[in-house]
Amino acid sequence: MPESTPLSSVEARVAALIGARRPGHALDRAFYTDPSIFALDLERLLLRRWFCAGHESRIPAPGDYFTVNLGRESVIVVRAADGRVRALLNVCRHRGSRLCDQKSGHVSGGRFTCPYHAWTYDLDGRLLAARQMAADFDASASGLRRLSVEIAEGLIFLCFADSPPDFSRARDALRRSAGVHGWGRAKVAHSETYTIRANWKLAVENYMECYHCQPAHPEFARRHVYSRPPDTTEALEVAARARSLAQGIVIEDLDEYGPNLVPGGESVSILRSALFEGMQTASPDGAPVAPLMGDFTAHDGSSTYFDIGPVSDFLAYADHGVMYRFIPREAELTEMEVVWLVDANAVEGRDYDVERLTWLWRATSIEDKKIIEMNAEGVASAYFVPGPYARQEAYAGRFVDWYLAELGARDTPVGGSGRAWRVAGR
């Protein structure tokens, strides 16, 4: 958008709200409730940046697929005939019908057929058949819309933009975190989706801080040193690093998140943190829940947090992993998918029990849903006045600063318009 282009009414309102915001304070109510600002969220940030769609193990064979959502958009993630992963907009090029209404499945015969008028596409999105069209109809120009795809350590990332942010720093960060934890050799053991009646930023801010962990997450707080202020846990963290180093595990912290991101690249961070003494992993009794993964030869009593982009967050232990996918749907509606990973060779019932494996993060996610929805109800009050972030909420504050910078930007610094597409077959 040229600098001389007049501000739209919503842009002008957002600019005024940004200008009136007190530094270090939470956002105004409108950022969490206004549908027009949510639309701007999609245009300026969410459709321009990389988001995790899931783990590659979900689609092991050509023709296997699953669908993912962002706002009102739906995407088919499919293993193509050549073995590569494709991401296709779940919208027929004829009159716009959804192609797939199932969350996952296998494409019989390697073709998607629209249930409305039977236009047929291959696994790359090329149009193969369109009945009764005019003689001059150009099938090569009517393939399914494609999204950019990057795969790193088994994780599939998508971006709607025609020129996405550079993924190289994110790839390296994933190698240094998920790679050490063996996520490229993992599989999905279980997943659950929680529907949260709240704006996506309230859900993400909640994940970005642990100021709430002691009052809201008692089981998490009994196990994770991260639940305490950093200046009270230094000795525990130093001891945990020594245990990791003793078996050759080196995962360095990285802070290129939000305002610290490398220009032109994607936002990334890594944070290594200890568990309390006697806790080997996130289980009811602290004992292992699955076989060791990646480079680990023993439980070192630590965990690794890493974040890629605005809505994809991850947590790894020595014996399993947890993916958090925040899925903005409407101004006051967010889905939160939680995915548990184990080693690809682990056998359910022999090597792990799903109830023990998922116990902590099911309990924590249920607690999160409740407190986020209570937060949303309070923020919706006409009398809500944004308060200041505490020291332990600094990361959430940085997320908000980054969000506002992206929302206020009019020069499309990365990604271009989220509405520019590549067409399969061209």
Side-chain angles (χ1 to χ4, degrees), residues 278-333:
M279 296 293 167
Q280 298 181 67
T281 190
S283 64
D285 56 3
V289 294
L292 291 166
M293 298 177 67
D295 298 343
F296 288 83
T297 58
H299 287 269
D300 63 346
S302 287
S303 55
T304 307
Y305 302 83
F306 44 105
D307 307 317
I308 306 292
V311 290
S312 304
D313 304 292
F314 312 94
L315 172 59
Y317 303 93
D319 59 359
H320 71 287
V322 185
M323 302 165 51
Y324 264 80
R325 296 183 57 249
F326 295 101
I327 308 163
R329 298 303 303 272
E330 299 175 5
E332 297 182 83
L333 183 66

Coordinates of all heavy atoms in Angstrom, one line a residue, residues 278-333:
G278 N 13.3 -34.6 41.2 CA 12.5 -35.8 41.2 C 11.5 -35.9 40.0 O 10.9 -36.9 39.9
M279 N 11.5 -34.9 39.2 CA 10.6 -34.9 38.0 C 11.5 -35.1 36.8 O 12.3 -34.3 36.4 CB 9.9 -33.5 37.9 CG 8.9 -33.2 39.0 SD 7.5 -34.4 39.0 CE 6.8 -34.1 40.6
Q280 N 11.3 -36.3 36.2 CA 12.0 -36.6 34.9 C 11.3 -36.1 33.7 O 11.9 -35.9 32.7 CB 12.2 -38.1 34.9 CG 13.0 -38.7 36.0 CD 13.3 -40.2 35.8 OE1 13.9 -40.6 34.9 NE2 12.7 -41.0 36.7
T281 N 9.9 -36.0 33.8 CA 9.1 -35.6 32.7 C 7.8 -35.1 33.2 O 7.5 -35.1 34.4 CB 9.0 -36.8 31.7 OG1 8.4 -36.3 30.5 CG2 8.1 -37.9 32.2
A282 N 6.9 -34.8 32.3 CA 5.5 -34.2 32.7 C 4.5 -35.4 32.9 O 3.7 -35.7 32.0 CB 5.0 -33.3 31.6
S283 N 4.6 -36.1 34.0 CA 3.8 -37.2 34.3 C 3.2 -37.0 35.7 O 3.7 -36.2 36.5 CB 4.5 -38.5 34.2 OG 5.6 -38.6 35.2
P284 N 2.2 -37.8 36.1 CA 1.6 -37.7 37.4 C 2.6 -37.9 38.6 O 2.6 -37.2 39.6 CB 0.5 -38.7 37.5 CG 0.1 -38.9 36.0 CD 1.4 -38.7 35.2
D285 N 3.6 -38.8 38.4 CA 4.6 -39.1 39.4 C 6.0 -38.7 39.0 O 6.9 -39.0 39.8 CB 4.6 -40.6 39.7 CG 4.8 -41.5 38.5 OD1 5.0 -40.9 37.4 OD2 4.7 -42.7 38.6
G286 N 6.1 -38.0 37.9 CA 7.4 -37.6 37.5 C 8.2 -38.6 36.8 O 9.3 -38.3 36.2
A287 N 7.7 -39.9 36.7 CA 8.4 -41.0 36.0 C 8.2 -40.9 34.5 O 7.3 -40.3 34.1 CB 8.0 -42.3 36.6
P288 N 9.1 -41.6 33.7 CA 9.0 -41.5 32.3 C 7.6 -42.0 31.8 O 7.0 -42.9 32.4 CB 10.1 -42.5 31.8 CG 11.1 -42.4 32.9 CD 10.3 -42.3 34.2
V289 N 7.2 -41.5 30.7 CA 5.9 -41.9 30.1 C 6.0 -42.6 28.7 O 5.1 -43.1 28.2 CB 4.9 -40.7 29.9 CG1 4.5 -40.1 31.3 CG2 5.6 -39.6 29.1
A290 N 7.3 -42.5 28.1 CA 7.5 -43.1 26.8 C 9.0 -43.3 26.6 O 9.8 -42.8 27.4 CB 6.9 -42.1 25.7
P291 N 9.4 -44.0 25.6 CA 10.8 -44.1 25.3 C 11.5 -42.8 25.1 O 10.9 -41.9 24.5 CB 10.9 -45.0 24.1 CG 9.5 -45.7 24.1 CD 8.6 -44.8 24.6
L292 N 12.8 -42.7 25.4 CA 13.6 -41.5 25.1 C 13.6 -41.2 23.6 O 13.5 -42.1 22.8 CB 15.0 -41.7 25.6 CG 15.2 -41.8 27.1 CD1 16.6 -42.3 27.5 CD2 15.0 -40.4 27.8
M293 N 13.7 -39.9 23.3 CA 13.7 -39.5 21.9 C 15.0 -38.8 21.6 O 15.7 -38.3 22.4 CB 12.5 -38.5 21.7 CG 11.1 -39.2 22.0 SD 9.7 -38.0 21.8 CE 9.8 -37.7 20.0
G294 N 15.2 -38.7 20.3 CA 16.3 -37.9 19.8 C 17.7 -38.3 20.3 O 18.1 -39.5 20.4
D295 N 18.4 -37.3 20.8 CA 19.8 -37.5 21.2 C 19.9 -37.8 22.7 O 21.0 -38.0 23.2 CB 20.6 -36.2 21.0 CG 20.7 -35.8 19.5 OD1 20.5 -36.7 18.7 OD2 21.1 -34.7 19.2
F296 N 18.8 -38.0 23.4 CA 18.8 -38.2 24.8 C 19.1 -39.7 25.1 O 18.5 -40.6 24.6 CB 17.4 -37.8 25.4 CG 17.2 -36.4 25.5 CD1 16.7 -35.7 24.4 CD2 17.5 -35.6 26.6 CE1 16.5 -34.3 24.4 CE2 17.4 -34.3 26.7 CZ 16.9 -33.6 25.5
T297 N 20.0 -39.9 26.1 CA 20.4 -41.2 26.5 C 19.9 -41.4 28.0 O 20.0 -42.5 28.5 CB 21.9 -41.4 26.5 OG1 22.6 -40.4 27.3 CG2 22.4 -41.4 25.0
A298 N 19.4 -40.4 28.6 CA 18.8 -40.4 29.9 C 18.0 -39.2 30.1 O 18.0 -38.2 29.4 CB 20.0 -40.4 31.0
H299 N 17.1 -39.3 31.1 CA 16.3 -38.1 31.5 C 17.1 -37.1 32.2 O 17.8 -37.4 33.2 CB 15.1 -38.6 32.3 CG 14.0 -39.3 31.6 ND1 13.0 -38.6 31.0 CD2 13.9 -40.6 31.3 CE1 12.2 -39.5 30.4 NE2 12.7 -40.7 30.5
D300 N 17.1 -35.9 31.7 CA 18.0 -34.8 32.4 C 17.2 -33.9 33.2 O 17.7 -32.9 33.7 CB 18.8 -34.1 31.3 CG 17.9 -33.3 30.3 OD1 16.7 -33.6 30.3 OD2 18.4 -32.5 29.6
G301 N 15.8 -34.1 33.3 CA 15.0 -33.2 34.2 C 14.9 -31.8 33.6 O 14.9 -30.8 34.4
S302 N 14.8 -31.7 32.3 CA 14.6 -30.4 31.7 C 13.6 -30.4 30.6 O 13.1 -31.5 30.2 CB 15.9 -29.9 31.0 OG 16.9 -29.5 32.0
S303 N 13.2 -29.3 30.1 CA 12.2 -29.1 29.1 C 12.7 -28.0 28.1 O 13.4 -27.1 28.5 CB 10.8 -28.8 29.6 OG 10.8 -27.7 30.4
T304 N 12.2 -28.1 26.9 CA 12.6 -27.1 25.9 C 11.3 -26.4 25.3 O 10.5 -27.1 24.7 CB 13.4 -27.7 24.8 OG1 14.5 -28.4 25.3 CG2 14.0 -26.6 23.8
Y305 N 11.2 -25.1 25.4 CA 10.1 -24.4 24.8 C 10.7 -23.7 23.5 O 11.8 -23.2 23.5 CB 9.6 -23.3 25.7 CG 9.1 -23.7 27.1 CD1 10.0 -23.9 28.1 CD2 7.8 -23.9 27.3 CE1 9.6 -24.3 29.4 CE2 7.3 -24.3 28.5 CZ 8.2 -24.5 29.6 OH 7.8 -24.9 30.8
F306 N 9.9 -23.8 22.4 CA 10.3 -23.1 21.2 C 9.1 -22.6 20.5 O 8.0 -23.3 20.5 CB 11.3 -23.9 20.3 CG 10.9 -25.3 20.1 CD1 10.3 -25.7 18.9 CD2 11.1 -26.3 21.1 CE1 10.0 -27.1 18.7 CE2 10.8 -27.6 20.9 CZ 10.2 -28.0 19.7
D307 N 9.2 -21.4 19.9 CA 8.1 -20.7 19.2 C 8.5 -20.3 17.8 O 9.6 -19.8 17.6 CB 7.6 -19.5 20.0 CG 7.3 -19.8 21.5 OD1 6.7 -20.8 21.8 OD2 7.8 -19.0 22.3
I308 N 7.6 -20.5 16.9 CA 7.8 -20.1 15.5 C 6.6 -19.3 15.0 O 5.5 -19.8 15.0 CB 8.0 -21.3 14.5 CG1 9.1 -22.3 15.0 CG2 8.3 -20.8 13.1 CD1 10.5 -21.7 15.0
G309 N 6.8 -18.0 14.7 CA 5.7 -17.2 14.3 C 4.7 -16.9 15.4 O 5.0 -17.2 16.5
P310 N 3.6 -16.3 15.0 CA 2.7 -15.8 16.1 C 1.8 -16.8 16.7 O 1.3 -16.6 17.8 CB 1.9 -14.7 15.3 CG 1.9 -15.2 13.9 CD 3.2 -15.8 13.7
V311 N 1.5 -18.0 16.1 CA 0.5 -18.9 16.6 C 1.0 -20.3 16.7 O 0.1 -21.2 16.9 CB -0.8 -18.8 15.7 CG1 -1.5 -17.5 15.9 CG2 -0.5 -19.1 14.3
S312 N 2.3 -20.6 16.6 CA 2.8 -22.0 16.7 C 3.8 -22.1 17.8 O 4.9 -21.5 17.7 CB 3.4 -22.4 15.4 OG 2.5 -22.2 14.3
D313 N 3.5 -22.9 18.8 CA 4.3 -23.0 20.0 C 4.5 -24.5 20.4 O 3.6 -25.3 20.2 CB 3.6 -22.3 21.2 CG 3.4 -20.8 20.8 OD1 4.3 -20.1 20.6 OD2 2.2 -20.5 20.6
F314 N 5.7 -24.8 21.0 CA 6.1 -26.2 21.2 C 6.8 -26.4 22.5 O 7.4 -25.4 23.0 CB 7.0 -26.6 20.0 CG 6.5 -26.3 18.7 CD1 6.9 -25.1 18.0 CD2 5.6 -27.1 18.0 CE1 6.4 -24.7 16.8 CE2 5.1 -26.8 16.7 CZ 5.5 -25.6 16.1
L315 N 6.7 -27.6 23.0 CA 7.3 -27.9 24.3 C 7.8 -29.4 24.2 O 7.1 -30.3 23.8 CB 6.4 -27.8 25.5 CG 6.8 -28.3 26.8 CD1 8.1 -27.5 27.3 CD2 5.7 -28.0 27.9
A316 N 9.1 -29.6 24.5 CA 9.7 -30.9 24.4 C 10.3 -31.4 25.7 O 11.0 -30.6 26.4 CB 10.7 -30.9 23.3
Y317 N 10.1 -32.6 26.0 CA 10.7 -33.3 27.1 C 11.6 -34.4 26.5 O 11.6 -34.6 25.3 CB 9.7 -34.0 28.0 CG 8.7 -33.0 28.6 CD1 7.5 -32.8 28.0 CD2 9.0 -32.3 29.8 CE1 6.5 -31.9 28.5 CE2 8.0 -31.4 30.3 CZ 6.8 -31.2 29.6 OH 5.9 -30.3 30.1
A318 N 12.4 -35.1 27.3 CA 13.3 -36.1 26.8 C 12.5 -37.3 26.2 O 13.1 -38.0 25.3 CB 14.2 -36.6 28.0
D319 N 11.3 -37.5 26.6 CA 10.6 -38.7 26.2 C 9.3 -38.4 25.4 O 8.6 -39.3 24.9 CB 10.2 -39.6 27.3 CG 9.4 -39.0 28.4 OD1 9.0 -37.8 28.3 OD2 9.0 -39.7 29.4
H320 N 8.9 -37.2 25.2 CA 7.7 -36.8 24.4 C 7.7 -35.3 24.1 O 8.5 -34.6 24.7 CB 6.4 -37.3 25.1 CG 6.0 -36.5 26.3 ND1 6.6 -36.6 27.5 CD2 5.0 -35.5 26.4 CE1 6.0 -35.7 28.4 NE2 5.1 -35.1 27.7
G321 N 6.8 -35.0 23.2 CA 6.7 -33.6 22.8 C 5.2 -33.1 22.8 O 4.3 -34.0 22.7
V322 N 5.0 -31.8 22.9 CA 3.7 -31.2 22.9 C 3.7 -30.1 21.9 O 4.5 -29.2 22.0 CB 3.3 -30.8 24.3 CG1 1.8 -30.3 24.2 CG2 3.4 -31.9 25.3
M323 N 2.8 -30.1 21.0 CA 2.6 -29.0 20.0 C 1.3 -28.2 20.4 O 0.3 -28.8 20.7 CB 2.4 -29.5 18.6 CG 3.6 -30.4 18.1 SD 3.2 -31.3 16.6 CE 2.5 -30.1 15.5
Y324 N 1.4 -26.9 20.4 CA 0.2 -26.1 20.6 C 0.0 -25.3 19.3 O 0.8 -24.4 18.9 CB 0.5 -25.1 21.8 CG -0.1 -25.6 23.1 CD1 0.6 -26.5 23.8 CD2 -1.3 -25.1 23.5 CE1 0.1 -27.0 25.0 CE2 -1.9 -25.6 24.7 CZ -1.2 -26.5 25.5 OH -1.7 -27.0 26.6
R325 N -1.1 -25.5 18.7 CA -1.5 -24.8 17.5 C -2.7 -23.9 17.8 O -3.8 -24.4 18.1 CB -1.9 -25.7 16.3 CG -0.8 -26.6 15.8 CD -1.2 -27.5 14.7 NE -1.8 -26.7 13.6 CZ -3.0 -26.6 13.2 NH1 -4.0 -27.3 13.9 NH2 -3.4 -25.8 12.2
F326 N -2.5 -22.6 17.8 CA -3.6 -21.6 18.0 C -4.2 -21.3 16.7 O -3.5 -20.9 15.7 CB -3.1 -20.4 18.8 CG -2.6 -20.7 20.1 CD1 -1.2 -20.8 20.4 CD2 -3.5 -20.9 21.2 CE1 -0.8 -21.1 21.7 CE2 -3.0 -21.2 22.5 CZ -1.7 -21.3 22.7
I327 N -5.5 -21.4 16.6 CA -6.2 -21.3 15.3 C -7.2 -20.2 15.4 O -8.4 -20.4 15.9 CB -6.8 -22.6 14.9 CG1 -5.8 -23.8 14.9 CG2 -7.5 -22.5 13.5 CD1 -6.4 -25.1 14.9
P328 N -6.9 -19.0 15.0 CA -7.9 -17.9 15.0 C -9.0 -18.2 14.0 O -8.7 -18.4 12.9 CB -7.1 -16.6 14.6 CG -5.6 -17.0 14.9 CD -5.6 -18.5 14.6
R329 N -10.2 -18.1 14.5 CA -11.4 -18.3 13.6 C -12.3 -17.1 13.4 O -12.6 -16.8 12.3 CB -12.2 -19.5 14.2 CG -11.5 -20.8 14.3 CD -10.9 -21.3 12.9 NE -11.9 -21.4 11.9 CZ -12.6 -22.5 11.6 NH1 -12.4 -23.6 12.3 NH2 -13.5 -22.5 10.6
E330 N -12.6 -16.5 14.5 CA -13.4 -15.2 14.5 C -12.9 -14.3 15.6 O -11.9 -14.6 16.3 CB -14.9 -15.6 14.8 CG -15.5 -16.5 13.8 CD -16.9 -16.9 14.2 OE1 -17.5 -16.3 15.2 OE2 -17.5 -17.7 13.5
A331 N -13.4 -13.1 15.6 CA -12.9 -12.1 16.5 C -12.9 -12.6 18.0 O -12.0 -12.3 18.7 CB -13.7 -10.8 16.5
E332 N -13.9 -13.4 18.4 CA -14.0 -13.9 19.7 C -14.1 -15.4 19.7 O -14.8 -15.9 20.6 CB -15.1 -13.2 20.4 CG -15.0 -11.7 20.6 CD -16.1 -11.0 21.3 OE1 -16.0 -11.0 22.6 OE2 -17.0 -10.5 20.7
L333 N -13.4 -16.0 18.8 CA -13.4 -17.5 18.8 C -12.1 -18.0 18.3 O -11.6 -17.6 17.2 CB -14.6 -18.0 17.9 CG -14.7 -19.5 17.8 CD1 -15.2 -20.1 19.1 CD2 -15.7 -19.9 16.7

